Amino acid sequence: MKSSKAQYSPAELAIKALREKARTKRRHLREKRCKVAHFVKSNNKAVGEADYKASDEGFVKKNRLPVHFKILINNCKRLVFSKRSHTDKNGKLRSISLRGRRRLFNVLLVLLTHCDFMSGQVGKPKAEHMDTTSHDALMQQYATRFGETISSSTWYRYVGMLDAMEIYFSKEIKLYGEDGVTVRSEASYKWLSKSFLHSIGAFTDVVMGSIKGSYQKALNKGLSFVWREVNAQTTPLPPQDLFSYSYSYTAPPQ
């Protein structure tokens, strides 16, 4: 057994340092989620499944989501709670308990409230482009919305279920260093499938009208819903206007 730093090679020391840094970051994020969950719960600011933005302000008028969210959230809840089982990526049929369906709905609700329904993209529109949103940020939103934390392992397990159900898709983003070899990752492209959005009524006349109205208001404010291209070595997903192309949509690569 190696007893001192002198017994490790520079490469081994670098790996150990990176692992320790990752552990520290995960611990910090867990503590941050616990802190925000405790605050919103103890101060009655958790909005739960209501059609409000998750924040530390609770049910304030300015954080009320556009009218189509109430319909989509209710339809999403009915859809999820109607599922008693699902087929995983290995083709095995797995049952979903009532508690599991509740957790699945909560995870999906966080994704739904960060979705651009014109494209299915999950992220945050900004002036120059639409930013991808990390899973860590989404877990933080989960804590803010429900006043309870969710572990990384639990989060990814339910995201995996949504992936297997073809409700959720993602594509990783890798950044290459100047040497062309060094790689680091950024928050992945994420989106909800058109078939799922259709199943919860996103394309009905009333809901679509509200979605388009909200979309235009955002554009008028100078916001962009086009995913940014990270660099030439990253294969970006083109923005997909679901309404313009109607049912010509094909499932994105996995």
Side-chain angles (χ1 to χ4, degrees):
M1 181 176 179
K2 296 179 180 178
S3 58
S4 69
K5 288 186 178 180
Q7 292 176 294
Y8 290 97
S9 69
E12 289 175 319
L13 288 173
I15 292 173
K16 284 172 64 67
L18 287 173
R19 288 175 176 171
E20 181 58 34
K21 184 178 180 180
R23 282 194 292 268
T24 301
K25 181 181 179 181
R26 289 195 298 270
R27 183 173 65 251
H28 171 72
L29 290 171
R30 285 196 300 270
E31 292 171 352
K32 188 177 180 181
R33 291 197 295 268
C34 287
K35 184 177 180 180
V36 72
H38 175 73
F39 176 84
V40 296
K41 184 175 182 180
S42 59
N43 290 281
N44 296 317
K45 302 297 185 181
V47 297
E49 61 188 61
D51 53 334
Y52 283 79
K53 294 178 182 178
S55 72
D56 58 6
E57 298 176 305
F59 296 92
V60 294
K61 185 177 180 180
K62 69 176 183 177
N63 286 337
R64 188 76 179 262
L65 292 169
V67 295
H68 55 269
F69 272 97
K70 186 171 185 178
I71 298 172
L72 296 177
I73 290 171
N74 288 337
N75 289 346
C76 178
K77 185 176 183 179
R78 281 194 289 270
L79 176 68
V80 171
F81 278 84
S82 70
K83 293 183 177 295
R84 303 298 179 91
S85 63
H86 83 286
T87 303
D88 65 20
K89 285 293 187 179
N90 296 316
K92 185 175 181 180
L93 186 66
R94 296 186 178 277
S95 61
I96 311 175
S97 66
L98 182 59
R99 182 181 180 185
R101 278 173 273 165
R102 164 58 62 181
R103 183 59 63 84
L104 184 66
F105 168 67
N106 287 353
V107 169
L108 184 52
L109 178 54
V110 172
L111 296 171
L112 193 71
T113 52
H114 289 78
C115 180
D116 163 33
F117 298 110
M118 293 291 285
S119 64
Q121 297 169 182
V122 174
K124 184 175 182 178
K126 292 189 174 183
E128 296 182 357
H129 54 252
M130 186 168 186
D131 261 5
T132 53
T133 301
S134 69
H135 285 291
D136 286 325
L138 292 169
M139 284 186 273
Q140 179 81 2
Q141 281 290 297
Y142 185 104
T144 306
R145 175 167 288 279
F146 298 106
E148 63 181 41
T149 59
I150 183 170
S151 68
S152 296
S153 59
T154 301
W155 172 268
Y156 285 112
R157 183 168 72 251
Y158 282 96
V159 167
M161 289 173 62
L162 294 172
D163 187 5
M165 294 176 181
E166 298 188 340
I167 288 175
Y168 165 90
F169 294 97
S170 66
K171 184 177 179 63
E172 65 181 1
I173 296 175
K174 289 190 177 295
L175 296 176
Y176 294 83
E178 293 181 359
D179 59 7
V181 177
T182 307
V183 179
R184 68 180 177 85
S185 298
E186 280 204 354
S188 61
Y189 295 116
K190 305 173 184 67
W191 63 99
L192 300 178
S193 70
K194 183 176 182 180
S195 59
F196 164 69
L197 295 178
H198 183 270
S199 69
I200 62 172
F203 303 135
T204 60
D205 291 341
V206 173
V207 173
M208 186 186 296
S210 177
I211 289 172
K212 287 184 174 181
S214 296
Y215 186 81
Q216 189 58 52
K217 286 181 181 178
L219 293 179
N220 292 343
K221 292 179 181 178
L223 299 179
S224 173
F225 292 88
V226 177
W227 266 322
R228 66 190 179 98
E229 295 186 18
V230 179
N231 61 29
Q233 290 175 284
T234 299
T235 304
L237 296 175
Q240 297 168 4
D241 188 333
L242 301 184
F243 294 148
S244 291
Y245 297 103
S246 187
Y247 292 94
S248 62
Y249 175 87
T250 56
Q254 299 182 52

PDB file of all heavy atoms in Angstrom, residues 15-46:
ATOM      1  N   ILE A  15      -4.806  12.592 -10.981  1.00  0.00           N
ATOM      2  CA  ILE A  15      -6.096  11.888 -10.958  1.00  0.00           C
ATOM      3  C   ILE A  15      -6.718  11.976  -9.579  1.00  0.00           C
ATOM      4  O   ILE A  15      -7.929  12.220  -9.431  1.00  0.00           O
ATOM      5  CB  ILE A  15      -5.904  10.414 -11.385  1.00  0.00           C
ATOM      6  CG1 ILE A  15      -5.526  10.343 -12.874  1.00  0.00           C
ATOM      7  CG2 ILE A  15      -7.174   9.614 -11.131  1.00  0.00           C
ATOM      8  CD1 ILE A  15      -5.142   8.957 -13.347  1.00  0.00           C
ATOM      9  N   LYS A  16      -5.911  11.777  -8.544  1.00  0.00           N
ATOM     10  CA  LYS A  16      -6.417  11.864  -7.174  1.00  0.00           C
ATOM     11  C   LYS A  16      -6.951  13.255  -6.884  1.00  0.00           C
ATOM     12  O   LYS A  16      -8.009  13.416  -6.257  1.00  0.00           O
ATOM     13  CB  LYS A  16      -5.299  11.517  -6.172  1.00  0.00           C
ATOM     14  CG  LYS A  16      -4.980  10.035  -6.070  1.00  0.00           C
ATOM     15  CD  LYS A  16      -3.743   9.779  -5.227  1.00  0.00           C
ATOM     16  CE  LYS A  16      -3.955  10.216  -3.785  1.00  0.00           C
ATOM     17  NZ  LYS A  16      -4.961   9.374  -3.096  1.00  0.00           N
ATOM     18  N   ALA A  17      -6.248  14.266  -7.359  1.00  0.00           N
ATOM     19  CA  ALA A  17      -6.684  15.646  -7.142  1.00  0.00           C
ATOM     20  C   ALA A  17      -8.014  15.923  -7.835  1.00  0.00           C
ATOM     21  O   ALA A  17      -8.899  16.591  -7.278  1.00  0.00           O
ATOM     22  CB  ALA A  17      -5.613  16.613  -7.647  1.00  0.00           C
ATOM     23  N   LEU A  18      -8.168  15.413  -9.049  1.00  0.00           N
ATOM     24  CA  LEU A  18      -9.422  15.600  -9.790  1.00  0.00           C
ATOM     25  C   LEU A  18     -10.580  14.908  -9.093  1.00  0.00           C
ATOM     26  O   LEU A  18     -11.695  15.446  -9.015  1.00  0.00           O
ATOM     27  CB  LEU A  18      -9.270  15.068 -11.221  1.00  0.00           C
ATOM     28  CG  LEU A  18      -8.417  15.908 -12.179  1.00  0.00           C
ATOM     29  CD1 LEU A  18      -8.209  15.173 -13.490  1.00  0.00           C
ATOM     30  CD2 LEU A  18      -9.075  17.257 -12.434  1.00  0.00           C
ATOM     31  N   ARG A  19     -10.333  13.698  -8.575  1.00  0.00           N
ATOM     32  CA  ARG A  19     -11.388  12.966  -7.871  1.00  0.00           C
ATOM     33  C   ARG A  19     -11.804  13.677  -6.588  1.00  0.00           C
ATOM     34  O   ARG A  19     -12.980  13.759  -6.262  1.00  0.00           O
ATOM     35  CB  ARG A  19     -10.905  11.544  -7.565  1.00  0.00           C
ATOM     36  CG  ARG A  19     -10.829  10.643  -8.796  1.00  0.00           C
ATOM     37  CD  ARG A  19     -10.230   9.293  -8.468  1.00  0.00           C
ATOM     38  NE  ARG A  19     -10.250   8.417  -9.638  1.00  0.00           N
ATOM     39  CZ  ARG A  19      -9.642   7.237  -9.678  1.00  0.00           C
ATOM     40  NH1 ARG A  19      -8.961   6.790  -8.619  1.00  0.00           N
ATOM     41  NH2 ARG A  19      -9.717   6.497 -10.775  1.00  0.00           N
ATOM     42  N   GLU A  20     -10.823  14.203  -5.890  1.00  0.00           N
ATOM     43  CA  GLU A  20     -11.127  14.937  -4.659  1.00  0.00           C
ATOM     44  C   GLU A  20     -11.906  16.206  -4.968  1.00  0.00           C
ATOM     45  O   GLU A  20     -12.848  16.573  -4.255  1.00  0.00           O
ATOM     46  CB  GLU A  20      -9.829  15.280  -3.929  1.00  0.00           C
ATOM     47  CG  GLU A  20     -10.051  16.034  -2.621  1.00  0.00           C
ATOM     48  CD  GLU A  20     -10.934  15.281  -1.641  1.00  0.00           C
ATOM     49  OE1 GLU A  20     -10.872  14.024  -1.615  1.00  0.00           O
ATOM     50  OE2 GLU A  20     -11.691  15.938  -0.891  1.00  0.00           O
ATOM     51  N   LYS A  21     -11.537  16.873  -6.050  1.00  0.00           N
ATOM     52  CA  LYS A  21     -12.253  18.076  -6.465  1.00  0.00           C
ATOM     53  C   LYS A  21     -13.698  17.750  -6.820  1.00  0.00           C
ATOM     54  O   LYS A  21     -14.621  18.498  -6.476  1.00  0.00           O
ATOM     55  CB  LYS A  21     -11.551  18.699  -7.677  1.00  0.00           C
ATOM     56  CG  LYS A  21     -12.164  20.011  -8.139  1.00  0.00           C
ATOM     57  CD  LYS A  21     -11.383  20.594  -9.306  1.00  0.00           C
ATOM     58  CE  LYS A  21     -11.999  21.908  -9.785  1.00  0.00           C
ATOM     59  NZ  LYS A  21     -11.230  22.481 -10.934  1.00  0.00           N
ATOM     60  N   ALA A  22     -13.911  16.607  -7.503  1.00  0.00           N
ATOM     61  CA  ALA A  22     -15.267  16.185  -7.882  1.00  0.00           C
ATOM     62  C   ALA A  22     -16.086  15.858  -6.640  1.00  0.00           C
ATOM     63  O   ALA A  22     -17.271  16.208  -6.559  1.00  0.00           O
ATOM     64  CB  ALA A  22     -15.198  14.980  -8.809  1.00  0.00           C
ATOM     65  N   ARG A  23     -15.459  15.184  -5.662  1.00  0.00           N
ATOM     66  CA  ARG A  23     -16.175  14.849  -4.424  1.00  0.00           C
ATOM     67  C   ARG A  23     -16.569  16.119  -3.665  1.00  0.00           C
ATOM     68  O   ARG A  23     -17.682  16.227  -3.144  1.00  0.00           O
ATOM     69  CB  ARG A  23     -15.306  13.960  -3.536  1.00  0.00           C
ATOM     70  CG  ARG A  23     -15.254  12.505  -3.963  1.00  0.00           C
ATOM     71  CD  ARG A  23     -14.664  11.638  -2.873  1.00  0.00           C
ATOM     72  NE  ARG A  23     -13.246  11.932  -2.663  1.00  0.00           N
ATOM     73  CZ  ARG A  23     -12.264  11.284  -3.285  1.00  0.00           C
ATOM     74  NH1 ARG A  23     -12.545  10.337  -4.165  1.00  0.00           N
ATOM     75  NH2 ARG A  23     -10.999  11.601  -3.045  1.00  0.00           N
ATOM     76  N   THR A  24     -15.659  17.069  -3.629  1.00  0.00           N
ATOM     77  CA  THR A  24     -15.947  18.335  -2.951  1.00  0.00           C
ATOM     78  C   THR A  24     -17.095  19.073  -3.631  1.00  0.00           C
ATOM     79  O   THR A  24     -17.980  19.623  -2.963  1.00  0.00           O
ATOM     80  CB  THR A  24     -14.687  19.231  -2.947  1.00  0.00           C
ATOM     81  OG1 THR A  24     -13.634  18.544  -2.271  1.00  0.00           O
ATOM     82  CG2 THR A  24     -14.970  20.552  -2.250  1.00  0.00           C
ATOM     83  N   LYS A  25     -17.084  19.065  -4.963  1.00  0.00           N
ATOM     84  CA  LYS A  25     -18.150  19.732  -5.713  1.00  0.00           C
ATOM     85  C   LYS A  25     -19.493  19.057  -5.455  1.00  0.00           C
ATOM     86  O   LYS A  25     -20.504  19.741  -5.231  1.00  0.00           O
ATOM     87  CB  LYS A  25     -17.835  19.703  -7.208  1.00  0.00           C
ATOM     88  CG  LYS A  25     -18.904  20.397  -8.055  1.00  0.00           C
ATOM     89  CD  LYS A  25     -18.568  20.329  -9.545  1.00  0.00           C
ATOM     90  CE  LYS A  25     -19.642  20.990 -10.375  1.00  0.00           C
ATOM     91  NZ  LYS A  25     -19.342  20.926 -11.838  1.00  0.00           N
ATOM     92  N   ARG A  26     -19.523  17.717  -5.464  1.00  0.00           N
ATOM     93  CA  ARG A  26     -20.782  17.006  -5.214  1.00  0.00           C
ATOM     94  C   ARG A  26     -21.304  17.294  -3.812  1.00  0.00           C
ATOM     95  O   ARG A  26     -22.507  17.476  -3.612  1.00  0.00           O
ATOM     96  CB  ARG A  26     -20.583  15.501  -5.417  1.00  0.00           C
ATOM     97  CG  ARG A  26     -20.400  15.085  -6.876  1.00  0.00           C
ATOM     98  CD  ARG A  26     -20.580  13.586  -7.045  1.00  0.00           C
ATOM     99  NE  ARG A  26     -19.587  12.819  -6.290  1.00  0.00           N
ATOM    100  CZ  ARG A  26     -18.420  12.452  -6.761  1.00  0.00           C
ATOM    101  NH1 ARG A  26     -18.062  12.813  -7.997  1.00  0.00           N
ATOM    102  NH2 ARG A  26     -17.583  11.742  -6.030  1.00  0.00           N
ATOM    103  N   ARG A  27     -20.406  17.332  -2.846  1.00  0.00           N
ATOM    104  CA  ARG A  27     -20.813  17.621  -1.469  1.00  0.00           C
ATOM    105  C   ARG A  27     -21.384  19.026  -1.358  1.00  0.00           C
ATOM    106  O   ARG A  27     -22.412  19.244  -0.703  1.00  0.00           O
ATOM    107  CB  ARG A  27     -19.619  17.453  -0.528  1.00  0.00           C
ATOM    108  CG  ARG A  27     -19.969  17.676   0.950  1.00  0.00           C
ATOM    109  CD  ARG A  27     -18.820  17.328   1.866  1.00  0.00           C
ATOM    110  NE  ARG A  27     -17.678  18.222   1.666  1.00  0.00           N
ATOM    111  CZ  ARG A  27     -16.545  17.852   1.096  1.00  0.00           C
ATOM    112  NH1 ARG A  27     -16.389  16.609   0.649  1.00  0.00           N
ATOM    113  NH2 ARG A  27     -15.545  18.721   0.960  1.00  0.00           N
ATOM    114  N   HIS A  28     -20.727  19.982  -2.012  1.00  0.00           N
ATOM    115  CA  HIS A  28     -21.210  21.367  -1.992  1.00  0.00           C
ATOM    116  C   HIS A  28     -22.605  21.467  -2.607  1.00  0.00           C
ATOM    117  O   HIS A  28     -23.477  22.164  -2.069  1.00  0.00           O
ATOM    118  CB  HIS A  28     -20.233  22.258  -2.760  1.00  0.00           C
ATOM    119  CG  HIS A  28     -20.736  23.657  -2.980  1.00  0.00           C
ATOM    120  ND1 HIS A  28     -20.834  24.584  -1.969  1.00  0.00           N
ATOM    121  CD2 HIS A  28     -21.194  24.279  -4.103  1.00  0.00           C
ATOM    122  CE1 HIS A  28     -21.322  25.713  -2.453  1.00  0.00           C
ATOM    123  NE2 HIS A  28     -21.546  25.557  -3.745  1.00  0.00           N
ATOM    124  N   LEU A  29     -22.822  20.780  -3.719  1.00  0.00           N
ATOM    125  CA  LEU A  29     -24.124  20.831  -4.389  1.00  0.00           C
ATOM    126  C   LEU A  29     -25.210  20.180  -3.532  1.00  0.00           C
ATOM    127  O   LEU A  29     -26.350  20.667  -3.489  1.00  0.00           O
ATOM    128  CB  LEU A  29     -24.038  20.145  -5.755  1.00  0.00           C
ATOM    129  CG  LEU A  29     -23.214  20.892  -6.818  1.00  0.00           C
ATOM    130  CD1 LEU A  29     -23.009  20.022  -8.051  1.00  0.00           C
ATOM    131  CD2 LEU A  29     -23.884  22.204  -7.204  1.00  0.00           C
ATOM    132  N   ARG A  30     -24.873  19.075  -2.857  1.00  0.00           N
ATOM    133  CA  ARG A  30     -25.842  18.432  -1.954  1.00  0.00           C
ATOM    134  C   ARG A  30     -26.239  19.379  -0.829  1.00  0.00           C
ATOM    135  O   ARG A  30     -27.425  19.508  -0.493  1.00  0.00           O
ATOM    136  CB  ARG A  30     -25.264  17.146  -1.372  1.00  0.00           C
ATOM    137  CG  ARG A  30     -25.213  15.978  -2.330  1.00  0.00           C
ATOM    138  CD  ARG A  30     -25.003  14.669  -1.567  1.00  0.00           C
ATOM    139  NE  ARG A  30     -23.764  14.673  -0.800  1.00  0.00           N
ATOM    140  CZ  ARG A  30     -22.608  14.254  -1.266  1.00  0.00           C
ATOM    141  NH1 ARG A  30     -22.510  13.811  -2.518  1.00  0.00           N
ATOM    142  NH2 ARG A  30     -21.525  14.263  -0.504  1.00  0.00           N
ATOM    143  N   GLU A  31     -25.248  20.038  -0.252  1.00  0.00           N
ATOM    144  CA  GLU A  31     -25.514  20.968   0.843  1.00  0.00           C
ATOM    145  C   GLU A  31     -26.363  22.144   0.369  1.00  0.00           C
ATOM    146  O   GLU A  31     -27.251  22.611   1.088  1.00  0.00           O
ATOM    147  CB  GLU A  31     -24.195  21.474   1.422  1.00  0.00           C
ATOM    148  CG  GLU A  31     -23.400  20.395   2.160  1.00  0.00           C
ATOM    149  CD  GLU A  31     -22.004  20.838   2.537  1.00  0.00           C
ATOM    150  OE1 GLU A  31     -21.595  21.947   2.081  1.00  0.00           O
ATOM    151  OE2 GLU A  31     -21.311  20.106   3.262  1.00  0.00           O
ATOM    152  N   LYS A  32     -26.095  22.605  -0.843  1.00  0.00           N
ATOM    153  CA  LYS A  32     -26.858  23.720  -1.409  1.00  0.00           C
ATOM    154  C   LYS A  32     -28.312  23.318  -1.622  1.00  0.00           C
ATOM    155  O   LYS A  32     -29.236  24.088  -1.329  1.00  0.00           O
ATOM    156  CB  LYS A  32     -26.221  24.156  -2.727  1.00  0.00           C
ATOM    157  CG  LYS A  32     -26.797  25.427  -3.320  1.00  0.00           C
ATOM    158  CD  LYS A  32     -26.043  25.816  -4.593  1.00  0.00           C
ATOM    159  CE  LYS A  32     -26.618  27.088  -5.200  1.00  0.00           C
ATOM    160  NZ  LYS A  32     -25.907  27.465  -6.450  1.00  0.00           N
ATOM    161  N   ARG A  33     -28.530  22.096  -2.140  1.00  0.00           N
ATOM    162  CA  ARG A  33     -29.905  21.614  -2.347  1.00  0.00           C
ATOM    163  C   ARG A  33     -30.639  21.473  -1.021  1.00  0.00           C
ATOM    164  O   ARG A  33     -31.820  21.837  -0.914  1.00  0.00           O
ATOM    165  CB  ARG A  33     -29.890  20.280  -3.102  1.00  0.00           C
ATOM    166  CG  ARG A  33     -29.446  20.387  -4.548  1.00  0.00           C
ATOM    167  CD  ARG A  33     -29.834  19.155  -5.350  1.00  0.00           C
ATOM    168  NE  ARG A  33     -29.156  17.944  -4.908  1.00  0.00           N
ATOM    169  CZ  ARG A  33     -28.015  17.499  -5.408  1.00  0.00           C
ATOM    170  NH1 ARG A  33     -27.389  18.203  -6.345  1.00  0.00           N
ATOM    171  NH2 ARG A  33     -27.479  16.370  -4.994  1.00  0.00           N
ATOM    172  N   CYS A  34     -29.957  20.945  -0.021  1.00  0.00           N
ATOM    173  CA  CYS A  34     -30.577  20.771   1.298  1.00  0.00           C
ATOM    174  C   CYS A  34     -30.970  22.120   1.894  1.00  0.00           C
ATOM    175  O   CYS A  34     -32.047  22.266   2.485  1.00  0.00           O
ATOM    176  CB  CYS A  34     -29.623  20.045   2.243  1.00  0.00           C
ATOM    177  SG  CYS A  34     -29.410  18.290   1.891  1.00  0.00           S
ATOM    178  N   LYS A  35     -30.104  23.108   1.722  1.00  0.00           N
ATOM    179  CA  LYS A  35     -30.357  24.435   2.278  1.00  0.00           C
ATOM    180  C   LYS A  35     -31.584  25.071   1.649  1.00  0.00           C
ATOM    181  O   LYS A  35     -32.456  25.604   2.342  1.00  0.00           O
ATOM    182  CB  LYS A  35     -29.128  25.321   2.081  1.00  0.00           C
ATOM    183  CG  LYS A  35     -29.254  26.699   2.702  1.00  0.00           C
ATOM    184  CD  LYS A  35     -27.972  27.498   2.520  1.00  0.00           C
ATOM    185  CE  LYS A  35     -28.091  28.888   3.157  1.00  0.00           C
ATOM    186  NZ  LYS A  35     -26.835  29.671   2.975  1.00  0.00           N
ATOM    187  N   VAL A  36     -31.671  25.021   0.316  1.00  0.00           N
ATOM    188  CA  VAL A  36     -32.803  25.651  -0.358  1.00  0.00           C
ATOM    189  C   VAL A  36     -34.093  24.882  -0.087  1.00  0.00           C
ATOM    190  O   VAL A  36     -35.161  25.486   0.083  1.00  0.00           O
ATOM    191  CB  VAL A  36     -32.545  25.788  -1.879  1.00  0.00           C
ATOM    192  CG1 VAL A  36     -32.603  24.443  -2.591  1.00  0.00           C
ATOM    193  CG2 VAL A  36     -33.569  26.739  -2.512  1.00  0.00           C
ATOM    194  N   ALA A  37     -34.023  23.559  -0.017  1.00  0.00           N
ATOM    195  CA  ALA A  37     -35.215  22.755   0.267  1.00  0.00           C
ATOM    196  C   ALA A  37     -35.753  23.076   1.656  1.00  0.00           C
ATOM    197  O   ALA A  37     -36.969  23.230   1.860  1.00  0.00           O
ATOM    198  CB  ALA A  37     -34.885  21.265   0.158  1.00  0.00           C
ATOM    199  N   HIS A  38     -34.855  23.188   2.619  1.00  0.00           N
ATOM    200  CA  HIS A  38     -35.264  23.524   3.989  1.00  0.00           C
ATOM    201  C   HIS A  38     -35.907  24.898   4.045  1.00  0.00           C
ATOM    202  O   HIS A  38     -36.931  25.094   4.709  1.00  0.00           O
ATOM    203  CB  HIS A  38     -34.054  23.470   4.919  1.00  0.00           C
ATOM    204  CG  HIS A  38     -34.360  23.916   6.319  1.00  0.00           C
ATOM    205  ND1 HIS A  38     -35.103  23.151   7.204  1.00  0.00           N
ATOM    206  CD2 HIS A  38     -34.041  25.085   6.983  1.00  0.00           C
ATOM    207  CE1 HIS A  38     -35.224  23.801   8.344  1.00  0.00           C
ATOM    208  NE2 HIS A  38     -34.604  24.977   8.238  1.00  0.00           N
ATOM    209  N   PHE A  39     -35.325  25.858   3.319  1.00  0.00           N
ATOM    210  CA  PHE A  39     -35.857  27.225   3.355  1.00  0.00           C
ATOM    211  C   PHE A  39     -37.274  27.290   2.798  1.00  0.00           C
ATOM    212  O   PHE A  39     -38.177  27.842   3.431  1.00  0.00           O
ATOM    213  CB  PHE A  39     -34.950  28.163   2.564  1.00  0.00           C
ATOM    214  CG  PHE A  39     -35.492  29.574   2.483  1.00  0.00           C
ATOM    215  CD1 PHE A  39     -35.258  30.470   3.501  1.00  0.00           C
ATOM    216  CD2 PHE A  39     -36.255  29.977   1.390  1.00  0.00           C
ATOM    217  CE1 PHE A  39     -35.776  31.766   3.444  1.00  0.00           C
ATOM    218  CE2 PHE A  39     -36.780  31.267   1.330  1.00  0.00           C
ATOM    219  CZ  PHE A  39     -36.533  32.162   2.358  1.00  0.00           C
ATOM    220  N   VAL A  40     -37.475  26.757   1.591  1.00  0.00           N
ATOM    221  CA  VAL A  40     -38.804  26.882   0.967  1.00  0.00           C
ATOM    222  C   VAL A  40     -39.864  26.084   1.732  1.00  0.00           C
ATOM    223  O   VAL A  40     -41.023  26.494   1.807  1.00  0.00           O
ATOM    224  CB  VAL A  40     -38.779  26.472  -0.525  1.00  0.00           C
ATOM    225  CG1 VAL A  40     -37.891  27.402  -1.334  1.00  0.00           C
ATOM    226  CG2 VAL A  40     -38.343  25.028  -0.700  1.00  0.00           C
ATOM    227  N   LYS A  41     -39.458  24.953   2.307  1.00  0.00           N
ATOM    228  CA  LYS A  41     -40.420  24.149   3.058  1.00  0.00           C
ATOM    229  C   LYS A  41     -40.800  24.832   4.365  1.00  0.00           C
ATOM    230  O   LYS A  41     -41.989  24.922   4.714  1.00  0.00           O
ATOM    231  CB  LYS A  41     -39.852  22.765   3.337  1.00  0.00           C
ATOM    232  CG  LYS A  41     -40.842  21.832   4.032  1.00  0.00           C
ATOM    233  CD  LYS A  41     -40.261  20.440   4.175  1.00  0.00           C
ATOM    234  CE  LYS A  41     -41.289  19.507   4.817  1.00  0.00           C
ATOM    235  NZ  LYS A  41     -40.755  18.128   4.962  1.00  0.00           N
ATOM    236  N   SER A  42     -39.812  25.312   5.101  1.00  0.00           N
ATOM    237  CA  SER A  42     -40.083  25.935   6.403  1.00  0.00           C
ATOM    238  C   SER A  42     -40.786  27.278   6.271  1.00  0.00           C
ATOM    239  O   SER A  42     -41.450  27.739   7.211  1.00  0.00           O
ATOM    240  CB  SER A  42     -38.780  26.099   7.193  1.00  0.00           C
ATOM    241  OG  SER A  42     -37.844  26.895   6.489  1.00  0.00           O
ATOM    242  N   ASN A  43     -40.666  27.915   5.092  1.00  0.00           N
ATOM    243  CA  ASN A  43     -41.318  29.213   4.882  1.00  0.00           C
ATOM    244  C   ASN A  43     -42.527  29.125   3.951  1.00  0.00           C
ATOM    245  O   ASN A  43     -43.024  30.156   3.489  1.00  0.00           O
ATOM    246  CB  ASN A  43     -40.304  30.206   4.307  1.00  0.00           C
ATOM    247  CG  ASN A  43     -39.245  30.618   5.308  1.00  0.00           C
ATOM    248  OD1 ASN A  43     -39.484  31.467   6.167  1.00  0.00           O
ATOM    249  ND2 ASN A  43     -38.076  30.003   5.233  1.00  0.00           N
ATOM    250  N   ASN A  44     -42.985  27.905   3.694  1.00  0.00           N
ATOM    251  CA  ASN A  44     -44.165  27.691   2.839  1.00  0.00           C
ATOM    252  C   ASN A  44     -44.020  28.342   1.466  1.00  0.00           C
ATOM    253  O   ASN A  44     -44.967  28.935   0.932  1.00  0.00           O
ATOM    254  CB  ASN A  44     -45.433  28.222   3.524  1.00  0.00           C
ATOM    255  CG  ASN A  44     -45.753  27.479   4.803  1.00  0.00           C
ATOM    256  OD1 ASN A  44     -45.657  26.250   4.868  1.00  0.00           O
ATOM    257  ND2 ASN A  44     -46.125  28.212   5.847  1.00  0.00           N
ATOM    258  N   LYS A  45     -42.834  28.229   0.890  1.00  0.00           N
ATOM    259  CA  LYS A  45     -42.568  28.804  -0.425  1.00  0.00           C
ATOM    260  C   LYS A  45     -42.497  27.743  -1.532  1.00  0.00           C
ATOM    261  O   LYS A  45     -42.305  28.098  -2.696  1.00  0.00           O
ATOM    262  CB  LYS A  45     -41.252  29.583  -0.412  1.00  0.00           C
ATOM    263  CG  LYS A  45     -41.205  30.721   0.620  1.00  0.00           C
ATOM    264  CD  LYS A  45     -42.227  31.798   0.335  1.00  0.00           C
ATOM    265  CE  LYS A  45     -42.058  32.954   1.313  1.00  0.00           C
ATOM    266  NZ  LYS A  45     -43.072  34.033   1.079  1.00  0.00           N
ATOM    267  N   ALA A  46     -42.623  26.481  -1.168  1.00  0.00           N
ATOM    268  CA  ALA A  46     -42.562  25.413  -2.168  1.00  0.00           C
ATOM    269  C   ALA A  46     -43.863  25.407  -2.971  1.00  0.00           C
ATOM    270  O   ALA A  46     -44.943  25.274  -2.402  1.00  0.00           O
ATOM    271  CB  ALA A  46     -42.343  24.065  -1.489  1.00  0.00           C
TER     272      ALA A  46
END
